[in-house]
Amino acid sequence: MDQNRVIIFDTTLRDGEQSPGASLNVEEKLEIAKQLARLGVDVIEAGFPISSQADFDAVKLIAETVHGPTICALARAVPVDVERAGEALKGGKRTRIHTFIATSDIHMEYKLKKSRAEVLDMAVAAVKQAKHYTDDVEFSPEDAVRSDFDFMCQVLEAAIEAGATTINIPDTVGYSMPWEYGDLIRRIIARVPNVHKAIVSVHCHNDLGLAVANSLAGVLNGARQVECTINGIGERAGNTSLEEVVMAIKTRADLMHVYTNIVTREIYRTSRLVSDLTGFVVQPNKAIVGKNAFAHEAGIHQHGVLSHAQTYEIMDPRDIGWERSELVLGRHSGKHALFAKLEEMGYTDLSAEQKERIYQRFKDIAAKKKDISEWDIESIVSDEIHQIPEMFHLEYMHVVSGGSTIPTATIRIRKGDDILTASEIGVGTVDAVFRTIDAICNVPHSLVDYSVKSVTGGTDALGEVTVRIRDGGRVYIGRGASPDVIEASAKAYLQAINKLVSRVPDDDGRLTGQRMGMAEQEKMTV
Ligand code: KIV
Ligand code: ZN
């Protein structure tokens, strides 16, 4: 491999999906994996197969269907995990097993209750076992940053000797400073005698807001793989953000002297997809993909950018696929124009029925909204491809609101052959709508979160609503898009309820899609 190329290892579907409240089903994970392949990531860590049947299924499906990137599965350094990871990856062309065990004293004593010698043996055994399934094996000494340096290097050397082709150095708790982490990578490369047989990888958490800085420091000191997630999602404060690290490497190539194979024009679209499906709205001031990342409010800045973009812009927004033609289709556009646009936008595997339904939605929206942008089309498509079986279907809705009126909703829902109607009042219109839906559906749950955002500017913009509901330990996310935010809210709420009622218990008695948190995983005997 070219010495200056940095491998981008995306862990959105594994470490990212560990974010509290993120809960992707298998189809959603597959869709993200396909987009990650378009983005050009080198490795997709698709899940942790031992953690749930749903994670196993997702890894298996992605390994079988997504080609291009290497598909990776996570496994603790224990035989059952490695076996399950190997099983899940069986149908894949290019696969990797990523096995890990903690090497810090605090983790070994309080979590694993294992001695250094035991941990060393387990690491070696896991790598050797993983080699039976694939040549490509990654090993991570968890909590590397807080590990005893000599012991960790001993484990890394043994793991490489056993066949590890990548050694990953996690800052599991996001504790390190950039110069310290960079120095750690430099010292590992200087100390581990067989390190040249493996790629050194960085894996940083963002507890101090330093994950990207630490990853870049690692690269400057010789690491050639960065583990990261889209929008930086992940447990606690998240992981290294893929878009930030990639654009930093590209924009400051003069200092970094390395490159990635990321197709940067796919960044914005990937960010939106992950945000839509996880329901995690990207903060407006987020670097690279936030709504304001390229917005110039101050008159002096606007003037400068108009005369010469580089006066205030260090990156071209087109490089991350930001600019989409605003006015692409209108109410007079026919099927042909819409279908050609869908192809151009990369939606090449839609079925004829899906295209027809998208066209109907497009017509409905075009009747209310004059100009339809690519973002609108993307929102309609996203709504369509995330349809799930509907036990409850919204047939009709009427709301009354106003300064001196009590907000009231009247809703009709079809459930199989039954038509159910109810009317309720609420504190506001959305509250009235949700109460009416609850009265009809009678599905116990609690509302965790409700958020609205507009797809484009203007009062006729499509409103996208995300709703999160909880039943027991499981969160269900619903999304709805419409020029009418009340209708979008009703759709989103019903979608979340439909997801809840369509759950299927898996063979462990857990619900499909439900997975163990890290704490629960650690409780499993190692
Ligand atoms: O942060 C961490 O230590 C991890 C390991 C599993 C690599 O995610
Ligand atoms: Zn991690």
Side-chain angles (χ1 to χ4, degrees), residues 15 203 205 239:
D15 224 352
H203 178 112
H205 280 267
N239 288 58

Side-chain angles (χ1 to χ4, degrees), residues 102-105 141-152:
T103 49
S104 66
D105 289 337
E142 192 191 4
D143 202 17
V145 159
R146 296 190 301 170
S147 299
D148 174 80
F149 181 71
D150 291 338
F151 172 61
M152 181 182 62

Side-chain angles (χ1 to χ4, degrees), residues 385-459:
I385 52 191
H386 302 128
Q387 287 301 331
I388 44 133
E390 283 191 316
M391 178 184 284
F392 301 106
H393 179 77
L394 182 65
E395 289 271 333
Y396 166 86
M397 186 173 89
H398 176 76
V399 290
V400 181
S401 75
S404 51
T405 334
I406 298 175
T408 312
T410 305
I411 292 180
R412 194 180 302 141
I413 283 174
R414 184 163 38 77
K415 183 183 175 200
D417 294 334
D418 297 335
I419 296 290
L420 310 165
T421 308
S423 190
E424 292 285 332
I425 59 169
V427 178
T429 326
V430 173
D431 188 44
V433 166
F434 285 13
R435 281 171 190 268
T436 312
I437 292 176
D438 285 343
I440 296 176
C441 301
N442 194 21
V443 177
H445 64 265
S446 55
L447 179 67
V448 179
D449 191 32
Y450 166 83
S451 65
V452 191
K453 72 169 195 226
S454 73
V455 174
T456 51
T459 49

Side-chain angles (χ1 to χ4, degrees), residues 14-15 18 45 74 98 100 138 140-143 168 170-173 203 205 227 239 518:
R14 199 280 297 170
D15 224 352
Q18 269 167 227
E45 189 165 47
L74 185 71
H98 173 192
F100 72 100
E138 173 169 331
S140 293
E142 192 191 4
D143 202 17
N168 179 45
D171 182 10
T172 305
V173 290
H203 178 112
H205 280 267
E227 303 203 347
N239 288 58
M518 265 297 182

